[in-house]
Amino acid sequence: MADALHDGCPALEVLATGPMTTVQDLGRPGRGHLGVGRSGAADRGALRLANRLLANPEGAAALEVTLGGLAARARGDLLITLTGAACPASVVDAAGRARPIGHQSVERLPDGATLRLGMPRRGLRTYVAVRGGLAVEEVLGSRATDVLAGLGPDRPEAGSLLPVGPPPAAFPMVELAPAAEAPPGEPVLRVVPGPRDDWFRPGALEALCAEPYEVTMESNRVGMRLRGRPLERSREGELPPEGMVPGALQVPPSGQPTLFLADHPVTGGYPVIAVVRERDVDQAAQIRPGQRVRFRLSRGEPS
Amino acid sequence: MRPRLRRCGDGALLVELEGVDEVVALYDALVADPPPGVTELLPAARTLLVRFEPSSRKGAVESAVLGARPAGGRPGAGGEVTVPVVYDGADLAAVAELTGLTEREVVQAHTGSPWTVAFCGFAPGFGYLVGGDPRLAVPRRTESRVRVPAGSVALAAEFSAVYPRESPGGWQLIGRTGLRVWDVAAEPPALLRPGTRVRFTEAPRG
């Protein structure tokens, strides 16, 4: 099968996936009323940047690599870029010569050469984009993998051959986007109160922002379970199910919040005390289990 | 009643309404005349989530929601679906006991009046059906099942549902249907969409 696909069609052959690699684009918006979530890249800004660097449409599909470990070989000459969590990366040519490559720079991956990603020093999710985009089959208008709903293309595994689409008409304008390093220390996420802050005891929002929360191992593309000061409710019981958004801080009876990410459930029955601002949700998606995170109240107008 | 608007982050408003009928009416009005920038309308039991882009549209979206004129009565835009059910679910006896009805009366109550899809959630194509016989309101099972087969017909609280795919689930199972309610190759992929009227009929065992 691999050889049949190689005939003239560029592709990326996956040799190793690391802990978890999925195909992602910007998801399938507008289907929430059917119980289908948007899904898509957990760090949307990083995917968009990768596609801009390659002059792809900004929603072209790419690989979302969690904690590095990807190895993939080019079938045909490819142009690639890496965004999101920076990892040590190299291109090993067909003769076995390795060359380190940069982050957020446009790089060649010649026919037969292998891209190898180490473990990121900081951050969680690295995006590997190819000029032309990954052309795996769409499901409901998107190539995104929704791990909660079980929708999307097959999960890449060693031996998967991912077809690459035709290159767009536009050419890359830059070779490198300067990477803004995240400031050292605990990441701070801005939150907008509500929609259900009135389900909590007075002072609960202040408690949320007082001390850092630890991101537990029970974290994935659906959401991050946090551990810290419990948020006390003033009302018992469950809400009738209502719509959820990425960045929502949902609080189950334990009082320990869950921060929803790309593959969050479409509806939920626990109250949401606050929602992380849109721009900061990408940053949240790069926080690793074991790390601590702080929240800061932000009632201002859109950033 | 004027709906209450609750802010839901930068890019969404949660519109609080009296109940399912008001939610479906406002949903239909906004689907018919979508305010600029709205990317998603998500009806639920007593709320409508309105997502928009960019976040600077908030004021305009708020005015559009408050200015919407939902039509009176429940519109039939969702069409009608008949769902044939074999009533041999694992929890049929438990439902009879919880409701004080006989198993036969449970079946008669479930097929006796039409239901309406209020909203979808939990899983793709999982419609929450309302408006059925109020005697069928039962709590969820105390322990949820790891595996509920696709096509299972179930009850929980005031809702009924058809499991679109195999999944975990805590609802009371009263029967099963061979009707496919979820198909990713179809457009739209869900058969039971908000506003769809649903009639359950009893199908022979076999």
Side-chain angles (χ1 to χ4, degrees):
Chain A
M1 185 187 99
D3 283 326
L5 236 169
H6 190 205
D7 288 346
C9 295
L12 201 57
E13 182 189 358
V14 176
L15 305 176
T17 60
M20 172 155 133
T21 293
T22 55
V23 177
Q24 298 295 345
D25 57 16
L26 291 178
R28 36 185 85 78
R31 294 177 184 268
H33 64 294
L34 304 179
V36 176
R38 183 177 68 182
S39 185
D43 181 346
R44 298 169 73 82
L47 177 76
R48 287 190 165 111
L49 173 63
N51 281 322
R52 281 203 304 275
L53 281 165
L54 297 169
N56 283 340
E58 70 170 9
L63 290 176
E64 180 179 282
V65 182
T66 313
L67 281 176
L70 177 87
R73 184 156 52 207
R75 300 289 188 101
D77 293 333
L78 304 179
L79 217 49
I80 62 164
T81 192
L82 310 175
T83 62
C87 19
S90 60
V91 167
V92 184
D93 69 19
R97 284 178 302 245
R99 158 178 81 87
I101 62 167
H103 193 63
Q104 297 186 176
S105 67
V106 176
E107 302 282 348
R108 285 175 199 288
L109 190 65
D111 187 20
T114 300
L115 168 70
R116 289 191 184 278
L117 300 189
M119 169 114 143
R121 200 163 42 84
R122 261 210 289 242
L124 185 59
R125 296 181 168 99
T126 304
Y127 294 85
V128 179
V130 183
R131 183 163 153 84
L134 297 176
V136 297
E137 202 154 330
E138 291 188 347
V139 176
L140 298 178
S142 162
R143 298 181 170 100
T145 306
D146 184 331
V147 299
L148 181 69
L151 283 178
D154 292 336
R155 191 84 58 89
E157 49 189 47
S160 298
L161 206 51
L162 310 172
V164 171
F171 286 99
M173 298 295 284
V174 289
E175 288 177 342
L176 183 101
E181 278 276 306
E186 287 151 2
V188 179
L189 306 175
R190 295 165 303 161
V191 297
V192 179
R196 297 290 178 189
D197 46 325
D198 54 347
W199 274 57
F200 295 84
R201 294 238 173 112
L205 275 169
E206 289 69 24
L208 173 71
C209 299
E211 299 284 336
Y213 282 81
E214 187 190 333
V215 177
T216 70
M217 293 304 289
E218 289 173 89
S219 299
N220 55 25
R221 285 179 44 84
V222 176
M224 296 153 63
R225 284 230 177 130
L226 306 177
R227 185 162 52 221
R229 191 182 280 197
L231 304 173
E232 289 185 46
R233 275 162 61 166
S234 56
R235 298 163 70 165
E236 294 304 313
E238 276 193 38
L239 280 164
E242 63 187 25
M244 291 287 140
V245 294
L249 283 160
Q250 199 196 45
V251 185
S254 67
Q256 301 290 343
T258 295
L259 199 175
F260 280 149
L261 296 178
D263 293 351
H264 65 87
V266 173
T267 58
Y270 296 129
V272 170
I273 187 170
V275 179
V276 174
R277 302 201 73 168
E278 255 169 22
R279 284 195 174 188
D280 293 0
V281 174
D282 285 355
Q283 199 193 334
Q286 293 293 0
I287 303 174
R288 294 190 196 193
Q291 243 184 303
R292 302 206 303 173
V293 57
R294 282 181 182 276
F295 297 100
R296 183 194 295 153
L297 273 190
S298 155
R299 295 172 199 263
E301 279 309 297
S303 51
Chain B
M1 189 193 84
R2 198 176 150 92
R4 173 164 181 191
L5 305 186
R6 290 172 177 267
R7 192 169 173 191
C8 189
D10 289 323
L13 288 171
L14 190 67
V15 187
E16 226 174 354
L17 296 144
E18 298 253 297
V20 160
D21 291 351
E22 290 75 18
V23 172
V24 172
L26 180 61
Y27 170 73
D28 284 341
L30 293 176
V31 166
D33 186 14
V38 168
T39 56
E40 192 109 49
L41 290 165
L42 211 150
R46 284 200 255 295
T47 56
L48 179 67
L49 180 74
V50 182
R51 290 177 73 176
F52 48 89
E53 267 175 36
S55 48
S56 55
R57 295 255 188 211
K58 180 165 158 273
V61 170
E62 276 176 354
S63 332
V65 168
L66 293 173
R69 292 279 166 269
R74 189 187 292 282
E80 188 166 315
V81 172
T82 299
V83 180
V85 180
V86 178
Y87 286 95
D88 61 357
D91 301 321
L92 185 58
V95 169
E97 190 163 324
L98 286 163
T99 56
L101 303 171
T102 64
E103 293 186 16
R104 183 93 309 257
E105 286 167 339
V106 170
V107 175
Q108 284 163 353
H110 198 244
T111 54
S113 52
W115 298 72
T116 304
V117 182
F119 59 96
C120 290
F122 173 62
F126 188 101
Y128 285 72
L129 278 56
V130 297
D133 193 313
R135 291 177 299 165
L136 293 178
V138 286
R140 284 160 195 252
R141 287 167 49 82
T142 43
E143 272 191 44
S144 95
R145 289 187 170 89
V146 178
R147 222 174 57 87
V148 173
S152 296
V153 176
L155 295 169
E158 74 264 41
F159 303 112
S160 187
V162 180
Y163 278 78
R165 299 180 306 177
E166 183 185 299
S167 69
W171 290 35
Q172 310 272 2
L173 309 184
I174 58 170
R176 60 195 153 91
T177 180
L179 189 70
R180 206 167 167 191
V181 299
W182 172 254
D183 179 3
V184 285
E187 189 58 62
L191 191 62
L192 307 181
R193 304 184 285 278
T196 305
R197 280 164 71 86
V198 178
R199 278 187 184 278
F200 291 102
T201 58
E202 188 171 11
R205 294 178 187 222

